[in-house]
Amino acid sequence: MTDRITITKTKTTTKAEAATPLPAAEQLKRDSRFLRGTIAQGLADRSTGAISEDDNKLMKFHGSYQQDNRDIRDERRRQKLEPDYSFMVRVRLPGGVLSPQQWLDLDDLASRYGNAGLRITTRQTFQIHGVRKEDMRDLMHGINTTGLSTLAACGDVVRTFVCSVNPQISSGHAKVYDWSWQLMEHLAPRTSAYRELWIDRLEQTTDGASDAEPLLGPTYLPRKFKIGFAIPPYNDVDIFAQDLGLIAILDADNQLQGFNVAVGGGMGSTASDPSTYPRLGDVIGFVPPEHLLQTCWHLVAVQRDFGNRQERKHARLKYTIDSHGGLAWFRDELQSRLPFAIEPPRPYQFTHNGDRFGWIEGDDGRWHLTLRIPSGRLLDVPGHTRQTGMREIARIHRGDLRMTGNQNAVIANVATEDKAAIEALVRQHGLDDHESASGLRLNAISCVALPTCGLAMAEAERYLPHIVTQLEQLMARHGLQDEAIHLRISGCHNGCARPFGGEIGLIGRAVGKYDLRIGADHIGERLNTIYRENINEASILAALDELFARFVAERHSGERFGDFVVRSGIVTPPERRPALVY
Ligand code: SRM
Ligand code: SF4
């Protein structure tokens, strides 16, 4: 029987901790009346396109960020205008699965209220950019009317879950996906502020006196907390980049045995601060399905109690683990809160962390078509009417749609007799370039970066097509045109495209300048390493020209580029921590 326990042991606060004043970010959460703040008043204020800085922080928990168009920031300043404010809205879409009707509804909402189509993210959901303040209530209400939500899509909470799409093992996917929903609901915030603001659209929110957060508490988590489910052999969600990774263990008949639990993954870091770092998660044990909810509840509670609330830069679970004595400490602390023993991890093997493009038949005879969506952006441009194409497909599709962690889309659960009609629309709208694209292009992902991301140091999404073309030409000169090298580009060290997991990773340092990192594997189990720092495109291409020449001359048969640069000693990857002893 599944145990939905909610009682929790909390860490005893020391006198010193009690005397330390809460930092502003924590105090804001505590004083927010469970995430209400003055958001309602801010939305009603028509004298500016913005909301207050404090409300902007609280809005994240509701699934939205205030942004401004950085392309025209200077021009507006010169004209003495306030920045061109708008909001990015992120949908909560566990496992990236939605129905064709939900797709149509989201597409309609994005077209009505956004300015940049639908954007599939690296966590299998959608962002809608460019929403004006006055449209926020209608858009958020509309998303909820579709049966979706934006609650906890951002903020210091357990975020949207990712889950392998894994179309080959349809029956296994269905079970794991079901668990991902149950777990998400179990760990979700309980505040009624969301309902008041976006569903009931109250002009004045209540005092929140009847709200309680049994897991998260009034200050919520110290920082974002990400959970993913992977179904080996595919690691398309980069499970070791999650704070908590749950690796499904299926038996030979695809029956779910339970989950290996991996903790402490995260990519974000600050370029100039060596006390921050990307880190892969480590497997600390196994739990059967009936203990999953309870284990994860308490695991999140350990982070709630021990996570660093004084320094946000060090507040992710990875730092909690490393600063409190490592994996053994963490496992013991978790174990002390559980009425059953965490079991030793079970064997598993990953073979791939990319997507499988084209048609694949599932184990139940239904078909799945994975389409490449460059940087996840669904917007009609000359030559590709991807947004219209997906809309037309959703109109006739009778299965479901799945977003991948690599920003691509799967038309899932197609009956054999429906394949031809979908295929025709795919071709008509230029959604078929997976058939001709190079291995590099198929495996290239990028974050949004400029012009909307306030943290971007350099271009990423807008740079991707250009740099891929340059690299394709370079690779062709070395006879490497068929090599499926994984390229990941982020506009800064926060690592939203998981660039530290790229065989080639480019990370923005300044406009036109990137760190070049090399040497990750193809399965998400080894991070790459810095090779050249803060260099321009000419230097990136020159460095890779040399490396490709050596790769061609010295590689072993079938060896991948990332594996080659490590084996040949060109870079030394970070050491993995030893496995826990049971
Ligand atoms: Fe991210 C912040 C976009 C996945 C690590 N991320 C941001 C913000 C919201 C910028 C901000 O704080 O003002 C970006 C909005 C850009 C825009 O204009 O839309 C942003 N992150 C994205 C997305 C849309 C990238 C994409 O192009 O697909 C992804 C949305 C995921 C989702 O649907 O929830 C996205 N972000 C990631 C990932 C990848 C993942 O989770 O698999 C990471 C690395 C993993 C991790 O969390 O460590 C990631 N984003 C960050 C960080 C660094 C966190 C840290 O621990 O240091 C920040 C900055 C922060 O939180 O302070 C950040
Ligand atoms: Fe913005 Fe940096 Fe994330 Fe890219 S990696 S979306 S530039 S925060």
Side-chain angles (χ1 to χ4, degrees), residues 221-463:
L221 293 177
R223 201 72 162 83
K224 60 178 81 167
F225 192 99
K226 296 181 173 178
I227 299 185
F229 287 80
I231 312 174
Y234 303 116
N235 187 14
D236 51 345
V237 295
D238 271 327
I239 200 72
F240 299 110
Q242 315 294 322
D243 294 271
L244 167 57
L246 296 161
I247 302 168
I249 307 295
L250 303 175
D251 67 14
D253 299 323
N254 280 340
Q255 294 306 310
L256 181 65
Q257 303 299 296
F259 300 90
N260 277 350
V261 177
V263 294
M267 297 269 133
S269 57
T270 306
S272 52
D273 182 353
S275 72
T276 64
Y277 43 84
R279 182 187 191 281
L280 291 179
D282 298 278
V283 176
I284 58 161
F286 169 88
V287 290
E290 63 273 19
H291 291 331
L292 181 71
L293 301 187
Q294 199 174 353
T295 303
C296 294
W297 176 284
H298 288 292
L299 200 150
V300 171
V302 174
Q303 164 66 353
R304 175 201 63 202
D305 294 344
F306 287 92
N308 188 338
R309 289 184 186 265
Q310 297 297 321
E311 175 51 83
R312 282 181 69 78
K313 263 188 185 179
H314 298 146
R316 294 291 291 274
L317 180 66
K318 59 185 176 181
Y319 302 115
T320 310
I321 294 171
D322 291 346
S323 63
H324 282 87
L327 292 174
W329 165 80
F330 186 80
R331 184 200 44 196
D332 294 349
E333 178 59 37
L334 174 61
Q335 183 62 81
S336 73
R337 299 170 184 230
L338 297 173
F340 47 81
I342 303 170
E343 298 175 33
R346 305 258 174 110
Y348 65 92
Q349 194 180 13
F350 288 121
T351 57
H352 206 262
N353 66 347
D355 290 337
R356 309 277 156 137
F357 293 91
W359 287 105
I360 292 174
E361 189 175 9
D363 60 4
D364 56 359
R366 309 278 291 178
W367 290 89
H368 310 274
L369 175 62
T370 304
L371 301 173
R372 172 181 167 263
I373 312 293
S375 295
R377 184 71 68 180
L378 287 153
L379 189 64
D380 289 354
V381 293
H384 300 275
T385 43
R386 293 192 178 95
Q387 189 177 9
T388 304
M390 288 301 295
R391 185 184 306 138
E392 295 297 321
I393 290 170
R395 284 200 177 121
I396 62 162
H397 181 38
R398 294 185 290 168
D400 55 286
L401 295 138
R402 299 180 192 170
M403 306 311 107
T404 80
N406 295 307
Q407 301 172 320
N408 297 308
V410 184
I411 321 293
N413 278 311
V414 180
T416 307
E417 61 272 22
D418 294 342
K419 277 177 73 183
I422 288 178
E423 185 82 41
L425 288 171
V426 163
R427 295 199 186 289
Q428 185 186 335
H429 292 283
L431 283 156
D432 56 351
D433 59 357
H434 57 277
E435 292 175 0
S436 53
S438 67
L440 178 82
R441 202 172 281 268
L442 287 176
N443 288 289
I445 62 177
S446 77
C447 70
V448 178
L450 295 163
T452 50
C453 178
L455 306 177
M457 313 293 279
E459 297 281 359
E461 180 177 333
R462 295 193 296 196
Y463 184 49

Side-chain angles (χ1 to χ4, degrees), residues 67 119 121 127 129 224 226 267 316 452 496 498:
Q67 305 182 317
R119 174 57 159 68
T121 73
Q127 287 186 176
H129 288 98
K224 60 178 81 167
K226 296 181 173 178
M267 297 269 133
R316 294 291 291 274
T452 50
C496 299
R498 298 187 295 275

Side-chain angles (χ1 to χ4, degrees), residues 58-75:
L58 297 174
M59 277 282 275
K60 297 179 186 179
F61 294 76
H62 297 260
S64 178
Y65 280 71
Q66 178 176 292
Q67 305 182 317
D68 74 285
N69 183 345
R70 293 179 60 184
D71 283 348
I72 56 170
R73 205 183 259 181
D74 290 344
E75 181 53 32

